Amino acid sequence: QTPAEPPPRLVNGKTVDERMALALSVCQEGECTTEADLRNLLEKKPTAPRAYDGFEPSGRMHIAQGVAKAVNVNKLTDAGCEYVFWIADWFAQLNNKMGGDLKKIQVVGRYFIEVWKACGMNMDNGKVTFLWASEEINKRPNEYWTLVMDIARRNKLPRIIRCNTAMGREDTDELSAAQIFYPCMQAADIFFLKVDICNLGLDQRKVNMLAREYCDAIKRRNKPIILSHPMIPGLKQGQEKMSKSDPDSAIFMEDSEAEVKTKIKKAFCPPAVVADNPCLDYIRLMVLPRLGSLHVQRSPDNGGDKTYTDFADIANDYQSGALHPGDLKPALTKALNQILQPVRDHFQNNPEAKALLAQVKKYRTTK
């Protein structure tokens, strides 16, 4: 008799194929580098794969950093990963955020953590960790700076300058020496933190690829896997991503109901146009993953009430004109306010969080 096939290994009750599907759902289509590496990791690593994202604390948190990130973290921990948030305080100082004032940057970092605690991220499973760059690097400085220097030594200056998008800069911007150093440090973070998966925005892809190229240079076989999540556009026409320095371009995590309503009412949302429509992107990337549905209330003359659970149905109705911006926007506003209410409650009722927000609101956001 042929021995029976052993049952597939399940993690959180999921097969490798199900875990793959969850992990791939956090990145923009075609932006997994590489799927073969990801499958190999999920199949063969005996312990939980380690994913990470890094954030410069710089001003108030917008909804992409809060809600969209919570959605992605929950998917990856559900797929069996552990998740590290790298609170990149030294990086914010290098990039002259908050005028380079480290104390202010660290206040903003503590505010960030309070937002994430309140915004629906699943932290009860012990799989989410917050690490401060300044603290961790100072614990193992020899290991960290040796890595940084080796990455810097093996790369030409033009390759490093191409990574400036990671800092929100352009190749042609006038850069300080600190900002030249930054990409070498960011690439080093991946190895210093022993990360398997880089789950940063698409604007960070060049630095993550620098880390993979470094693996080739040092003949390291296991390269970090890149799951680049899409950039959520600003609310105004032509804004590829939200801007903290333009408050009307983004919903912030503790915006009031009235502020959300006003911003969505003004938002770019051309009738029957699905592409580059920020309101539809908000629904696709945040509302449906977070709430599971979108309820549109309309008069019987305009088609009556309808509940959507699939973005394709929303896109089809919107493109055909069956769903009008005048009905979509109130539904989106209501959904966003439902998502944000626990965060508002936390900053209203928790004295420490309330004090942090008051401090952050006084700070001037710098590019």
Side-chain angles (χ1 to χ4, degrees), residues 12 18 31 66 84 102 125 129 152 156 167 247 288-289 300 342 349 353 366:
N12 290 346
E18 289 168 331
E31 287 296 340
V84 173
L102 190 60
N125 54 22
T129 308
K156 303 288 188 231
M167 298 177 283
L288 289 180
N349 301 327
T366 50

Side-chain angles (χ1 to χ4, degrees), residues 285-341:
L285 296 169
M286 290 183 286
V287 172
L288 289 180
R290 186 75 180 79
L291 299 179
S293 64
L294 178 77
H295 184 63
V296 176
Q297 292 179 294
R298 298 180 291 201
S299 68
D301 291 345
N302 289 331
D305 293 0
K306 186 168 182 177
T307 299
Y308 294 93
T309 57
D310 189 329
F311 182 74
D313 293 335
I314 296 173
N316 289 338
D317 278 4
Y318 194 81
Q319 196 159 23
S320 72
L323 179 58
H324 189 269
D327 297 313
L328 181 86
K329 284 186 171 187
L332 173 58
T333 298
K334 188 173 182 180
L336 292 176
N337 276 322
Q338 182 182 339
I339 291 168
L340 294 179
Q341 194 54 49

Side-chain angles (χ1 to χ4, degrees), residues 101-149:
D101 186 325
L102 190 60
K103 287 185 178 177
K104 286 183 179 178
I105 289 165
Q106 289 173 340
V107 167
V108 176
R110 295 204 305 275
Y111 149 80
F112 271 31
I113 293 171
E114 291 298 322
V115 176
W116 282 319
K117 284 179 182 176
C119 73
M121 197 180 291
N122 183 6
M123 297 191 188
D124 298 335
N125 54 22
K127 291 182 178 179
V128 179
T129 308
F130 298 100
L131 298 177
W132 290 82
S134 58
E135 290 179 7
E136 298 304 312
I137 292 168
N138 278 332
K139 287 177 188 173
R140 290 145 54 204
N142 186 57
E143 180 185 346
Y144 186 79
W145 295 113
T146 300
L147 262 171
V148 173
M149 288 189 293

Side-chain angles (χ1 to χ4, degrees), residues 11 27 51 54 68 71 102 124 140 160 169 203 271 280 294 298 303 320 345:
V11 174
C27 68
V71 166
L102 190 60
D124 298 335
R140 290 145 54 204
I160 300 302
R169 311 285 169 180
D203 59 340
L280 290 173
L294 178 77
R298 298 180 291 201
S320 72
D345 291 344

Side-chain angles (χ1 to χ4, degrees), residues 24-32 202 227-231 284:
L24 289 172
S25 72
V26 309
C27 68
Q28 184 153 312
E29 190 174 350
E31 287 296 340
C32 171
L202 200 53
L227 295 177
S228 299
H229 63 72
M231 305 305 294
R284 176 173 62 90

Side-chain angles (χ1 to χ4, degrees), residues 187-258:
D189 293 343
I190 295 164
F191 305 102
F192 182 70
L193 294 170
K194 297 175 172 52
V195 164
D196 300 301
I197 297 171
C198 302
N199 178 223
L200 290 80
L202 200 53
D203 59 340
Q204 308 293 308
R205 187 179 185 279
K206 289 177 182 176
V207 180
N208 293 329
M209 288 303 295
L210 182 70
R212 284 182 66 92
E213 291 163 15
Y214 178 66
C215 290
D216 291 333
I218 62 172
K219 297 181 170 51
R220 172 179 162 141
R221 196 173 62 183
N222 291 331
K223 299 179 182 180
I225 293 146
I226 306 171
L227 295 177
S228 299
H229 63 72
M231 305 305 294
I232 297 180
L235 291 171
K236 296 179 178 179
Q237 184 174 3
Q239 288 182 319
E240 291 185 1
K241 67 177 188 176
M242 298 179 196
S243 168
K244 291 183 183 182
S245 55
D246 180 0
D248 288 333
S249 78
I251 305 290
F252 292 97
M253 290 299 294
E254 68 298 313
D255 273 351
S256 68
E257 287 191 29

